[in-house]
Amino acid sequence: MTDTKSQLASGSKLLHWRIAQYLLLVASVVLVALLFLKPTIGLNIFWNVVIPTAPALIVIAPGVWRNICPMATLNLMPQRMGISKQGSLSRHMKARLGFLSLIALFIIVPYRHLSLDTNGERSALMLIAAGLIAFAMGIAFKWRSGWCTTLCPIHPVERLYGISPAKTFKNSRCSHCVRCTSPCPDSTKSMTPAITGPSPLATMSGHLLIGSFAGFIWGWNQLPDFSGTITVTHYLHVYLWPLDSALISLAVYMFLYQWVVLTKEGRRTLIKVFATIAVSTYYWFRIPALAGFGPHPGSGMLYDLTRVLPSWIEHLSHIITTAFFTWFILLRKNKKISWLIRPPVVTTRKKRVRHC
């Protein structure tokens, strides 16, 4: 009787996740339509509501994001439809795709200043392209190996920001394990970008992200959104500022990692420090910009509150967001938990598969 009740409760929770997944997928389709038909509204919703919310969600509850991400739903749709070819990726190919996702992140984010933040059609086309790639990777490769844990440009950020989750959630994506990737970011306790497979490229990519991302975010926020005729000078500005800052940040990280912080626990703390700096820097600039404050009035603004709120509100937002993320990532007593609960183990004739 108890087992039956437990199964019913588990099935009900899974149904709730499924409803959330498909509702969010429908909402994404509506958003793409708005980007084409009502670009001002679509751009505000996407770049000034959805995107500013995502980093905080990934920091606090990465498992929730992993359970409801619309791109993941598209990626797993071929699996649900029974049309996936269930291909396997070698560890070297996984490393190459992971590195490519990092390069894509460093290309797409600066391009926001040139076009994506102000052009609804191009933002929509970017989302459509990502969705098609996610779906195609789901056809070619088994479960989440082709997109969610390798090629997705958001995944490197998930691994950095999701270092100290508040809670582990039920895995609504994987009912069982087929060992689609190893290590599995969803089921690995205390996941960080430094936890990788044996590939040197994967290890390099992880440390590259950890060290560079804080500087990258700072550099990106030094520039406004450009409009009108875009010249070569504009391209140089939007890419050199964040990339140069990223190199400086990376140099500091590598110096500390190689010469100062030499213990395993100390290096884990170092990763937390750089994750904290990265997300705190993002919200240091982003929250005031949403209300019309900050160094580039108008850029990234959701609604102009400068005539309603006092100027000191900007400094208050700096204090609150920085204090919160410092406490949550660095100071809070953190249990070593995973983003999602490990699904049941599947045993095959050839080998025992432990975890998806």
Side-chain angles (χ1 to χ4, degrees), residues 243-260:
L243 293 179
D244 284 351
S245 302
L247 287 174
I248 295 172
S249 175
L250 179 62
V252 173
Y253 169 76
M254 293 308 299
F255 172 77
L256 294 173
Y257 188 88
Q258 292 291 341
W259 301 102
V260 179

Side-chain angles (χ1 to χ4, degrees), residues 105-163:
L105 178 68
F106 287 160
I107 290 175
I108 293 170
V109 173
Y111 191 64
R112 287 181 54 183
H113 283 317
L114 295 174
S115 178
L116 295 178
D117 279 8
T118 55
N119 190 304
E121 181 178 317
R122 292 181 184 177
S123 290
L125 291 174
M126 178 195 69
L127 292 176
I128 291 171
L132 290 174
I133 294 171
F135 188 81
M137 296 296 275
I139 293 176
F141 303 105
K142 59 184 178 181
W143 290 94
R144 310 186 75 170
S145 60
W147 174 262
C148 294
T149 62
T150 49
L151 192 56
C152 172
I154 304 300
H155 184 56
V157 182
E158 292 172 345
R159 294 166 73 106
L160 180 64
Y161 286 176
I163 191 171

Side-chain angles (χ1 to χ4, degrees), residues 2-168:
T2 303
D3 290 342
T4 302
K5 288 183 178 180
S6 177
Q7 290 175 2
L8 289 173
S10 178
S12 176
K13 289 180 180 179
L14 181 60
L15 177 61
H16 292 159
W17 283 118
R18 286 281 187 269
I19 291 172
Q21 289 164 10
Y22 287 107
L23 283 177
L24 209 57
L25 185 60
V26 171
S28 300
V29 173
V30 173
L31 174 60
V32 169
L34 284 173
L35 287 167
F36 279 119
L37 303 175
K38 299 286 184 180
T40 301
I41 297 175
L43 288 168
N44 254 331
I45 293 174
F46 183 53
W47 293 117
N48 296 329
V49 177
V50 176
I51 296 302
T53 304
L57 177 59
I58 293 172
V59 168
I60 298 168
V64 172
W65 172 249
R66 295 283 289 183
N67 270 344
I68 65 174
C69 171
M71 292 298 171
T73 303
L74 285 173
N75 179 233
L76 289 172
M77 200 170 285
Q79 179 74 39
R80 311 289 182 201
M81 296 167 64
I83 61 174
S84 175
K85 296 181 180 179
Q86 298 286 298
S88 297
L89 288 164
S90 69
R91 70 169 185 264
H92 299 297
M93 183 55 69
K94 288 177 185 176
R96 293 188 192 105
L97 290 176
F99 182 69
L100 186 59
S101 74
L102 190 58
I103 297 301
L105 178 68
F106 287 160
I107 290 175
I108 293 170
V109 173
Y111 191 64
R112 287 181 54 183
H113 283 317
L114 295 174
S115 178
L116 295 178
D117 279 8
T118 55
N119 190 304
E121 181 178 317
R122 292 181 184 177
S123 290
L125 291 174
M126 178 195 69
L127 292 176
I128 291 171
L132 290 174
I133 294 171
F135 188 81
M137 296 296 275
I139 293 176
F141 303 105
K142 59 184 178 181
W143 290 94
R144 310 186 75 170
S145 60
W147 174 262
C148 294
T149 62
T150 49
L151 192 56
C152 172
I154 304 300
H155 184 56
V157 182
E158 292 172 345
R159 294 166 73 106
L160 180 64
Y161 286 176
I163 191 171
S164 300
K167 183 180 178 181
T168 299

